[in-house]
Amino acid sequence: MTKPIRIARQPATSLVAICGKCSRKVGGGFGADGDQPLGKALRRALQLPKPKHARVRLVEAKCLKLCPKGAVAVVDSRDPGGILVIPERTPVLEVAARLGLIAVPG
């Protein structure tokens, strides 16, 4: 007999998938020194808790099949109809604001 399908409850309200292949091709490109992958730079800048307790889960997808040059493809679960193309060296707080992870001043 197989085990039943179950739900593992967690507090996240959205999931952000970051293309791992794009991140590797860019070779970092984000953060203060431009040497961090986008996911790591976002986690640090936003001081996100461990994924088990975070309201937003940042995950690295294998490949999103868009492959922009000099940029990273990102999908937000709250708007799955479009893939964001984030150029390297874009300020991390600008990326966070575009994803709706922080409030935009003004």
Side-chain angles (χ1 to χ4, degrees):
M1 180 168 206
T2 62
K3 291 184 178 183
I5 297 172
R6 63 185 180 92
I7 296 175
R9 297 284 173 197
Q10 43 100 29
T13 56
S14 71
L15 176 114
V16 175
I18 301 167
C19 183
K21 190 172 181 181
C22 291
S23 290
R24 283 188 297 283
K25 282 184 177 180
V26 170
F30 297 92
D33 297 327
D35 61 349
Q36 295 177 339
L38 181 58
K40 188 176 214 174
L42 276 172
R43 277 188 204 91
R44 285 196 175 163
L46 301 176
Q47 298 177 342
L48 293 177
K50 295 204 182 259
K52 185 176 183 179
H53 304 291
R55 306 290 277 147
V56 175
R57 292 194 87 154
L58 299 176
V59 297
E60 185 177 288
K62 185 175 179 182
C63 183
L64 294 178
K65 306 293 186 206
L66 184 63
C67 304
K69 292 198 185 300
V72 177
V74 175
V75 175
D76 184 356
S77 67
R78 292 172 293 171
D79 184 18
I83 298 176
L84 296 175
V85 177
I86 305 188
E88 63 182 316
R89 303 277 185 203
T90 301
V92 177
L93 294 179
E94 183 180 330
V95 175
R98 178 63 177 86
L99 289 168
L101 304 178
I102 60 172
V104 179

